[in-house]
Amino acid sequence: MSLEPSSHPDQLSPETVAVVAGRPAREHDAAVNPPIVLSSTYVGTGQVVDGDRAYGRYSNPTWDPLEEALSELEGATLPSLVFSSGLAAVSAALSLIPVGGVLVMPRHSYQGALVMAQEQTAKGLFTLRTVDIANNDDVIAALTGAGEKAADMLWLESPTNPMLEVADLRVLCRSAKAVGALVVTDNTFSTPLVQKPLELGSDIVLHSVTKYLAGHSDVILGALITSDGELRRTLLHYRSIHGAIAGPFEAWLALRGLRTLALRVERAQDSAMTLAKRLDLHDGVEKVLFPGLDSDPGHERAKAQMLGFGSILCVQVAGGEAAANALVEALRLWTPATSLGGVESLIERRRRHANEPDSVPVNLLRLSVGIENVEDLWNDLSQALAHAAGKR
Ligand SMILES: *Cc1c(COP(=O)(O)O)cnc(C)c1O
């Protein structure tokens, strides 16, 4: 089931791949878009063999073009695997850790992934070592185990959620290889247009397709991408047996959203940079976390491994939790909501979630910059900052 080159020439740029990947063959009167196939089972006679569709939990033709497009974008040689959510993909990836094994994970990993790992640790399935992922020495010590068992899996997320710490992906992937640990990289924040973890040494890339890839806040979906046939077979088996599969409509919507990925990412990144610079100069803001700023501790590393700096930025509001809440409530254009990566700009105070680690400041707001006009976004922030200043 290797990836057949599509009918388009090789060496297309990623912006073009997002538009052309997974199209039906060009035949007279063929549809330009792949259809949605609603069928729970498939006609078959004789022995079921590998690659047969057989049943709707194993495969669906609507998944194929999306799976092909995602792996082309990440530079993988095998089709990706879509899951019912990003966390379903996390669950499949964590299943690769042997019982009694060791997982090394950033302490500011996506909250759901961290909770899942902690719960599995509490059950005695494996040992969890959380680290400051921006600190190479810290991560390497956790990988080698310093006298204890070496790691079986390194989980990478960069920039992290919500602290936007930047991991040294090349060095950490090499260090993981040296101890025989598998590397899984959650690339949700960056998208394959900005960061390519497989090229940097990761074995598996994970996406919450819910976010930038689908891009319109109307789908929950996840994906795993790898070029390793053995790993892919194991993960495909896990998906077939555990059953967290994508609905055909969601898969279709995600591919539809993916077509405009490059334009959305480009606009959102530009606006995020503009807003980060202005917020950094504002006296209502204590601190801006954004790897795009020269002063950010992750700036040089981000430049060395990313094409741009993404469009998530965080601010610590002067005046603490009350001022941060007042700012959010005064906004008219920005939507107060969790999630990120959609066309609309979202903002949230992360510590409003009970599970958020204490190391995330109470006055920290996470901003997911959308594709609206940047001056409209700024004007709204600026009036809300003035309002929040009144609450200090
Ligand atoms: C949202 C998110 C997830 C989980 O994805 P769902 O689609 O919500 O299940 C995982 N990792 C990151 C970085 C995310 O932002």
Side-chain angles (χ1 to χ4, degrees), residues 14 51 58 72 82 95 160 183 209 211 223 277 295 298 341 360 364 385:
Y58 306 145
E72 274 195 55
V82 293
S95 78
T160 60
V183 183
V209 176
K211 313 293 169 49
K277 284 182 181 158
S295 56
V360 175
L364 180 138
L385 276 161

Side-chain angles (χ1 to χ4, degrees), residues 53-72:
R53 293 208 181 273
Y55 183 57
R57 185 163 19 81
Y58 306 145
S59 124
N60 183 301
T62 322
W63 303 344
D64 301 350
L66 175 63
E67 292 185 331
E68 204 176 299
L70 294 181
S71 67
E72 274 195 55

